[in-house]
Amino acid sequence: MQCAVITGPVFDLHDCPGHPESADRLHAILARLPAGISKLDPVAAAEEDLARVHQPGYLAWLHGLSPRSVPEDPGGRAGSTAGQAPGAPVVSGFIDADTYFTPWSYSVATYAAGAACMAAARAIDGKSSFALVRPPGHHALPGWAMGFCLINNAAVAAAQALGSVDRVAIVDWDVHHGNGTQEIFRKSDRVLYCSVHAEGIFPLSGTATETGSGNGAGFTVNAPLLPGSTIGDYVHVFTELFLPVLERARPDLLIVSAGQDAMTGDPLSVMGLVPADFGTLTSLMLDGTGLSPAFVLEGGYGPSHPAAINAILRAARGERSTGPVPEPTDATRARVRLFRKMHGL
C-alpha cells in the first residue's frame, strides 16, 4: 500500500522565521521525501466544515486578523495584495506568546484543514495519506487559538467524516496533549480520542481522569507518561490500552494527529523516541486495526523530524521493523494498569 502526501506551497504563506513552527520545518520534510511518492494538492475547507468545530465569532475574528486570501500562485506571494485593498498594510503579529499570524494565516489554515479532510476521505476509501500541513491544529479550541494552532485540522476532518461514517477515532502521539481536540469532542460518543503525551508540560491538560462527559463519557483516553519515556513505554500504551479501546469502539476511520516532537533532540521534547519509533507505532496501528490511517501533521521541530516522517511512510506501505523493543518502565506498567481499570479493560 502506498501512502500519498497532501501538501503545497500555500503553507509557506504562514511563516515567522526563527519560530519553531516556521515554514522551514516543512521544507526540511519535503526535501527528504521518498522518491516517487504521490503528491496531491490541498483544497481549502469550506466555512461550513470549519463551523462544525469552531465558533462562528472566533472564525470571523481570526479572519479579520488575516484578511488576505491565498493568491492563485502561492509561490509568487511576495508583494501580493490578494484579498485586500491596494495599499493596505501587511500586518503580522502574535495572538499569544507562542501563536503568530500573518495576513494570509486564516486562508492558509483553511487549506490545512481541507488537506486533513482530503486525507480522511481517502482513508475511508482504504487509501492512506499524510496531510503535510501548517499551521498545526490539535491545540485550537472551539473559540480560541493557542500553541501554534489556529484551526483544528484533525477535528475538522473528523467532524466532516461523520457525515458519511458512524464513528471516528483520533490517535494523538504528539508530545503535547491535544487539548483542543479533546474539548471539541468531549461530549461526543462518535469520536474516540486517544492521546499519549508527556506529563507536566504545555498545555498542562490530559490527565487520565479526563475521560469525556455526557454521552462522550469514556470516549476520551489519556495516557500521560513521565518525561524520558522511550518506545518501550509507548508500545506498552498502544498494545495494552489504545488497541483494546480501538477494538471495542470499532471506528470506521482512524485519524492520527502525527506530531513527532517526542524525539530526542527536538527542542520541545522531554521524551526519548528516535525516528524509527514512529514507524513502530504506525505498524502497530495498521496491524492492530486493519484501517488505513489519515495522518495529519502536528508538531515536530528537530533535525531528525524528516527521518521520522519517512519511517511513518515506510510503515504505511508495509515495511516492518524487526528490531527489539525495550521493556517499559515499572512506572509505565503501573500507570497503564490504572488506565485500563479506568476504561473497563
Side-chain angles (χ1 to χ4, degrees):
M1 178 182 66
Q2 290 293 328
C3 183
V5 299
I6 306 169
T7 195
V10 62
F11 300 118
D12 286 353
L13 290 165
H14 175 77
D15 192 23
C16 181
H19 191 280
E21 206 298 289
S22 70
D24 286 344
R25 63 188 288 259
L26 188 51
H27 294 165
I29 293 169
L30 298 178
R32 294 176 60 185
L33 286 177
I37 193 166
S38 296
K39 296 180 183 178
L40 306 175
D41 294 328
V43 176
E47 289 292 327
E48 64 187 37
D49 295 324
L50 307 180
R52 290 190 184 97
V53 303
H54 290 292
Q55 297 169 5
Y58 167 67
L59 294 173
W61 173 80
L62 188 61
H63 197 180
L65 288 180
S66 304
R68 294 194 179 190
S69 60
V70 171
E72 291 185 8
D73 176 16
R77 64 189 181 277
S80 170
T81 57
Q84 193 165 336
V90 176
V91 178
S92 299
F94 278 77
I95 295 170
D96 58 29
D98 300 317
T99 312
Y100 67 86
F101 66 91
T102 75
W104 297 273
S105 290
Y106 179 81
S107 186
V108 173
T110 68
Y111 277 84
C117 291
M118 290 174 62
R122 286 174 54 83
I124 292 171
D125 289 337
K127 296 174 287 190
S128 199
S129 302
F130 203 139
L132 294 175
V133 301
R134 314 180 37 259
H138 72 154
H139 295 307
L141 294 156
W144 196 245
M146 64 181 292
F148 311 163
C149 303
L150 304 179
I151 299 294
N152 197 309
N153 306 316
V156 171
Q160 186 195 66
L162 289 175
S164 57
V165 302
D166 181 60
R167 185 166 289 170
V168 176
I170 301 174
V171 172
D172 189 335
W173 64 44
D174 192 286
V175 75
H176 304 96
H177 177 243
N179 58 308
T181 310
Q182 174 176 293
E183 178 60 25
I184 287 166
F185 296 116
R186 178 171 55 89
K187 297 181 179 180
S188 174
D189 59 358
R190 298 184 67 194
V191 177
L192 172 68
Y193 177 66
C194 301
S195 177
V196 57
H197 49 271
E199 183 176 73
I201 66 171
F202 180 90
L204 300 176
S205 58
T207 64
T209 56
E210 297 168 23
T211 59
S213 61
N215 290 338
F219 284 86
T220 296
V221 182
N222 284 312
L225 296 179
L226 291 173
S229 295
T230 69
I231 188 59
D233 303 294
Y234 277 71
V235 166
H236 194 64
V237 167
F238 273 71
T239 57
E240 298 298 318
L241 182 64
F242 286 178
L243 288 178
V245 296
L246 284 164
E247 182 178 6
R248 185 170 64 188
R250 299 182 65 83
D252 306 293
L253 168 65
L254 175 60
I255 297 173
V256 180
S257 273
Q260 291 62 242
D261 45 3
M263 284 190 289
T264 300
D266 190 290
L268 301 187
S269 179
V270 294
M271 295 304 208
L273 300 190
V274 299
D277 295 338
F278 290 94
T280 298
L281 298 181
T282 300
S283 299
L284 281 174
M285 288 192 301
L286 285 165
D287 299 340
T289 67
L291 297 171
S292 300
F295 300 93
V296 181
L297 185 64
E298 300 287 359
Y301 311 97
S304 57
H305 191 201
I309 298 294
N310 277 283
I312 294 168
L313 295 172
R314 288 194 300 270
R317 70 186 183 202
E319 296 183 24
R320 296 290 179 266
S321 171
T322 57
V325 174
E327 291 293 317
T329 64
D330 290 342
T332 294
R333 289 184 188 275
R335 285 178 178 232
V336 171
R337 283 195 297 269
L338 177 61
F339 301 159
R340 283 176 57 86
K341 184 176 180 180
M342 293 175 64
H343 289 280
L345 297 173

